[in-house]
Amino acid sequence: MEKRKRRGRNNGGIEVNTMAILDTSGFNRDSHHRHDDSLAFLEAVRSASLLPDNGTPPTNTMREAIFQILKEETSLELIVGSYQLLNELDKRFPRVCLPKMEKPESCLPLTILNEVEEAWCPFSLGLDRDEETHKVSSGSIDPLGFHSLIQELVEMINQKSKALETKILRKMLLLHYLVSVLDADFVPRNNAFKEKMSWTLLRDSLLNMLLGSRKIIYKGLVKDCMSVLCDVISDLSDQSESTSDMDSMAPSSREISYNCTAAFALALPELKRSTCIYLEKLLRMMMELDTSRNMADVHGLTTRADGVRTRAAEIILDELAYNSDMISPFFQVFDDPWWKLKMIMQYFQKYIPKASVRTRRSKSPPVNDSTFEGVLKCFSNSSSTKNIIKKIGTEIAQLLLGHAFLAYLSVSAESSAEHVDGFEEIVKGSCLTEICKHIIAAFTSIRKEDKNTEILLFGKEAVFTAASILSTKS
């Protein structure tokens, strides 16, 4: 991994001039000029770093000040302005990146990872020592603070009477930014790891250090992420036709003007959906890290110092099995087709009856439930279908089958499907037409075994899609 020093270290004059704007207010919350000074500071940084073609990267002190504004301010203008500026700066001056190849057809591997030395980071991920030894500055956030942020969102979403306060906007945008930082650091490292098989690249990633911290409970973090996802989706569904309650939910005019309140009320649903996307991205990164870590274990690259933790996918499946009400909202928002298909298969495998020892008189071959077609074939047997729906319920079985089928269609349609790790194993020996036939047969078998239930609308859509595909193939 190639480390490069941050260019523009001679911008001390810019730092002095821009920070002087904030120094005039001294970050005093009682100052009448603090709001204007903060806006002027953000604009000064933008003018110096982003507007010129050869803009100078802001210093760590300047970025800490911007991040502190995002963490602590109550003004909508300052919250949104600092959030946008931080993201623009990260795009213009990335911390970690893979070098761009001049010739795409080149077969040279991208094994060099460029990392900016001494680059500012919003996370404080030092050794877990006493707080007196390792203090967290106001311009950064530690693992416990990150977990607390997600826990606060769980509480705030459930407190519907306060849903329009600026606090939830600040918390959500803060989470969006932190997940973006983790993603920008993890993705190039994970890509380089797959090519170079150097576990050090991922061991030093922000995500691995965050999840490995003793300050947080890893299982609790995963569960809280799931809670936010499911609560937000449920909340959006409940409020889709309840816009008349806007005035009763709005904060007092002393905090926000009427126009800002109305605009924020319109933007809040989209903000919540974006929060779901970022949390889905965070969970997906956790599972990808687990996959790469397992690969490193197989090659003997990890040590005892790396520790041991339960895989995120297992925690998610256990939580879904414990609380089946989360299944529908979770898979509604978790739209990564590959991971969705893999998790649904693992969920079914928990409840598919295991075949007894096969005797010489056994006529039918044993079902291989390690493939998607094998899982579907379990519903072709009346006894197996009855056992499955008895354990998980008819509606849950329909939802999982429908989501798995749509995920299979999405993954198989991608041109890069052959490059997805493990995809061949899941779809081994199957074709699209056979999968469609098995989907129709599965829903037919469920309806036959439970005559008192109706096929869900989502299930009907899956059956209709399968039938349409078969009609075009015939």
Side-chain angles (χ1 to χ4, degrees):
M1 179 169 57
E2 180 179 297
K3 292 188 177 182
R4 51 191 174 88
K5 292 186 177 181
R6 172 69 78 185
R7 62 184 179 86
R9 282 300 178 186
N10 57 346
N11 58 359
I14 298 178
E15 178 182 0
V16 172
N17 293 334
T18 54
M19 294 301 295
I21 300 175
L22 293 177
D23 289 340
T24 57
S25 65
F27 283 93
N28 184 357
R29 288 194 174 277
D30 297 329
S31 172
H32 299 290
H33 304 287
R34 185 171 185 271
H35 178 270
D36 293 338
D37 291 340
S38 298
L39 284 178
F41 168 72
L42 296 179
E43 185 58 32
V45 176
R46 181 183 299 276
S47 300
S49 301
L50 297 178
L51 295 184
D53 294 335
N54 59 343
T56 305
T59 64
N60 291 349
T61 303
M62 294 162 66
R63 288 209 186 194
E64 286 179 5
I66 302 172
F67 187 69
Q68 185 176 347
I69 291 175
L70 175 60
K71 283 180 59 181
E72 300 179 358
E73 286 295 339
T74 58
S75 164
L76 287 174
E77 191 174 11
L78 287 175
I79 293 172
V80 175
S82 58
Y83 170 74
Q84 292 177 339
L85 181 57
L86 284 171
N87 280 289
E88 292 173 8
L89 289 173
D90 287 348
K91 291 180 181 179
R92 184 73 175 271
F93 310 106
R95 302 175 185 83
V96 178
C97 63
L98 287 171
K100 295 181 179 179
M101 303 298 294
E102 296 181 358
K103 298 181 179 180
E105 66 275 7
S106 174
C107 61
L108 293 176
L110 301 177
T111 55
I112 300 177
L113 190 70
N114 293 331
E115 181 180 5
V116 177
E117 187 177 357
E118 298 179 356
W120 174 81
C121 176
F123 292 98
S124 178
L125 301 173
L127 297 176
D128 294 325
R129 299 174 181 174
D130 295 336
E131 293 297 331
E132 297 180 358
T133 305
H134 188 72
K135 294 183 179 180
V136 179
S137 67
S138 59
S140 62
I141 189 168
D142 66 351
L144 181 59
F146 181 77
H147 191 181
S148 299
L149 173 63
I150 297 176
Q151 291 175 328
E152 290 173 3
L153 284 176
V154 175
E155 298 176 359
M156 294 170 67
I157 291 171
N158 291 329
Q159 296 174 359
K160 297 181 181 181
S161 61
K162 299 181 180 180
L164 295 183
E165 291 184 354
T166 54
K167 184 177 181 181
I168 193 172
L169 169 68
R170 184 175 72 250
K171 297 294 183 181
M172 285 186 175
L173 290 184
L174 178 58
L175 177 65
H176 295 184
Y177 176 66
L178 293 175
V179 174
S180 296
V181 172
L182 293 174
D183 180 69
D185 176 78
F186 174 75
V187 171
R189 288 177 181 274
N190 197 39
N191 291 337
F193 164 77
K194 291 178 181 179
E195 293 186 1
K196 199 174 182 180
M197 289 305 295
S198 175
W199 171 242
T200 304
L201 295 174
L202 282 180
R203 178 188 291 146
D204 296 338
S205 67
L206 297 177
L207 181 65
N208 186 62
M209 290 189 289
L210 174 70
L211 301 180
S213 173
R214 290 177 293 178
K215 293 183 178 180
I216 64 173
I217 301 176
Y218 181 62
K219 289 185 178 181
L221 176 63
V222 176
K223 292 179 180 180
D224 288 334
C225 289
M226 294 179 63
S227 296
V228 175
L229 284 174
C230 297
D231 289 345
V232 167
I233 292 299
S234 300
D235 184 55
L236 290 174
S237 300
D238 294 340
Q239 296 183 4
S240 59
E241 299 179 358
S242 302
T243 56
S244 60
D245 296 333
M246 181 187 303
D247 294 336
S248 63
M249 297 168 61
S252 61
S253 58
R254 292 177 299 176
E255 297 179 8
I256 312 175
S257 67
Y258 174 79
N259 291 333
C260 288
T261 301
F264 185 35
L266 294 174
L268 184 59
E270 185 59 33
L271 180 64
K272 289 183 176 181
R273 292 188 186 94
S274 299
T275 300
C276 290
I277 294 174
Y278 279 95
L279 284 174
E280 185 264 350
K281 181 183 294 185
L282 176 60
L283 289 175
R284 179 160 34 88
M285 283 192 292
M286 291 181 183
M287 293 187 289
E288 290 175 356
L289 176 60
D290 289 338
T291 301
S292 296
R293 181 186 174 117
N294 181 64
M295 190 183 305
D297 287 337
V298 172
H299 289 80
L301 303 177
T302 58
T303 64
R304 290 185 178 180
D306 293 311
V308 179
R309 60 173 177 259
T310 306
R311 295 186 182 184
E314 295 180 15
I315 299 174
I316 293 174
L317 289 173
D318 289 342
E319 188 69 7
L320 293 178
Y322 176 76
N323 186 359
S324 59
D325 292 337
M326 300 179 69
I327 292 178
S328 178
F330 178 79
F331 284 116
Q332 182 180 344
V333 69
F334 195 91
D335 59 355
D336 183 274
W338 160 242
W339 279 109
K340 179 184 289 188
L341 178 60
K342 187 173 182 179
M343 284 193 293
I344 292 177
M345 284 187 55
Q346 292 176 352
Y347 189 96
F348 273 128
Q349 288 167 356
K350 289 176 175 287
Y351 302 100
I352 292 176
K354 302 302 179 183
S356 58
V357 179
R358 190 165 179 261
T359 63
R360 293 182 179 179
R361 295 183 180 181
S362 300
K363 295 182 180 180
S364 59
V367 176
N368 179 18
D369 61 7
S370 63
T371 65
F372 183 45
E373 184 177 13
V375 170
L376 295 179
K377 284 182 178 180
C378 293
F379 286 90
S380 62
N381 183 290
S382 175
S383 176
S384 178
T385 302
K386 186 180 298 184
N387 288 331
I388 294 175
I389 62 177
K390 181 179 179 180
K391 294 177 180 178
I392 68 176
T394 305
E395 291 189 0
I396 297 301
Q398 293 184 53
L399 286 171
L400 293 177
L401 285 173
H403 279 294
F405 178 56
L406 295 180
Y408 168 82
L409 294 178
S410 298
V411 177
S412 60
E414 294 178 359
S415 58
S416 60
E418 63 273 15
H419 301 300
V420 179
D421 296 335
F423 179 74
E424 297 87 346
E425 294 297 323
I426 289 181
V427 300
K428 182 170 56 179
S430 64
C431 63
L432 180 59
T433 55
E434 290 299 318
I435 293 295
C436 291
K437 291 178 182 178
H438 289 309
I439 281 290
I440 297 175
F443 278 95
T444 302
S445 180
I446 290 176
R447 183 68 180 87
K448 181 180 178 181
E449 295 301 326
D450 191 352
K451 297 180 181 180
N452 296 325
T453 188
E454 291 291 335
I455 299 298
L456 300 176
L457 178 60
F458 185 62
K460 292 179 180 179
E461 292 176 354
V463 173
F464 177 78
T465 302
S468 300
I469 294 175
L470 289 177
S471 63
T472 59
K473 297 291 184 179
S474 58

